Amino acid sequence: MTGVVILLIVLLVAIVAVPLMIVYSGYNRIMALDARCDTALADIDVQLKHRHSLIPGLVETVRGFAKHETAAIENVAQARAAALGAASPQMRLEAEQQLGQSINAMLSIAESYPDLKASGHFRDLSGQLTDIENRVSAARRFYNLAVEEYNTAIRQFPGSRIASYRRLSTRRPYELGVERLIMDEPVAIQF
């Protein structure tokens, strides 16, 4: 009789403990993936801030050599200001897209000014900008992978139940839409 009681107790504990362990580990996994997404987004932010810090020097260098190209220079300055002042992630993404386009347009103007292309300061800044664009692309890819893993986890069982209970929603990847090809390509400057 005592063997049957012990077996029933073990069975009851297993019936209660196993689902609790599954839910507990699922919850911890989702929270870890959520934190990874936050960290990856912060990495993008750091790289974009570094890019923003390079722009004033680049603008002044181009302005010194290409005085007649005020529209392109002003577009970069306005796009940078919009990116720095964006209130929502979607507004920021749009502003960063515009900033990338403006930078590319300004750098394409450099092709018309041999003295500018020959400037050591311009070459240094454009090299740093190319490097930072590569780092932004890498950080964005890491973020998108983290988002994909997180979104998959909250769509599968038991993550879907945990997400529903905790009111967690899917995250949006850092997509650049039509401009993706422009932004994925590092800024190329030919000398």
Side-chain angles (χ1 to χ4, degrees):
M1 181 84 163
T2 58
V4 173
V5 171
I6 292 173
L7 183 61
L8 286 175
I9 291 173
V10 169
L11 198 57
L12 184 61
V13 168
I15 289 172
V16 171
V18 169
L20 286 176
M21 288 174 42
I22 290 171
V23 169
Y24 179 75
S25 66
Y27 176 79
N28 284 342
R29 182 172 188 274
I30 288 172
M31 292 300 108
L33 292 172
D34 189 46
R36 185 182 305 165
C37 289
D38 289 340
T39 301
L41 190 58
D43 288 345
I44 292 172
D45 191 46
V46 166
Q47 301 307 326
L48 291 175
K49 285 181 181 177
H50 185 64
R51 178 172 81 165
H52 295 162
S53 71
L54 292 176
I55 292 171
L58 186 64
V59 165
E60 289 307 312
T61 301
V62 171
R63 183 176 287 154
F65 285 92
K67 294 178 180 17
H68 303 296
E69 306 293 348
T70 57
I73 294 169
E74 288 175 11
N75 286 342
V76 171
Q78 290 171 353
R80 178 179 180 263
L84 290 172
S88 71
Q90 185 60 33
M91 288 174 58
R92 183 165 179 216
L93 178 58
E94 292 170 7
E96 291 296 340
Q97 289 172 346
Q98 184 60 43
L99 179 58
Q101 291 172 353
S102 298
I103 290 171
N104 285 336
M106 185 177 70
L107 292 176
S108 68
I109 289 171
E111 298 297 319
S112 304
Y113 295 90
D115 292 340
L116 175 60
K117 290 190 315 185
S119 164
H121 187 61
F122 179 76
R123 280 195 309 247
D124 182 48
L125 285 171
S126 60
Q128 288 179 39
L129 189 60
T130 299
D131 182 51
I132 200 65
E133 291 297 335
N134 289 334
R135 287 193 262 160
V136 167
S137 291
R140 188 174 41 80
R141 281 190 297 273
F142 179 72
Y143 172 75
N144 286 343
L145 288 172
V147 165
E148 182 181 337
E149 191 174 357
Y150 170 80
N151 288 344
T152 300
I154 67 171
R155 286 187 190 119
Q156 296 174 338
F157 185 81
S160 59
R161 295 291 183 208
I162 295 166
S164 173
Y165 177 72
R166 295 284 301 184
R167 294 187 180 110
L168 300 174
S169 59
T170 58
R171 287 179 174 251
R172 292 180 54 167
Y174 202 94
E175 291 183 13
L176 298 176
V178 175
E179 303 307 321
R180 181 180 201 119
L181 295 175
I182 293 172
M183 295 298 284
D184 277 347
E185 290 296 320
V187 178
I189 301 190
Q190 299 173 353
F191 298 101

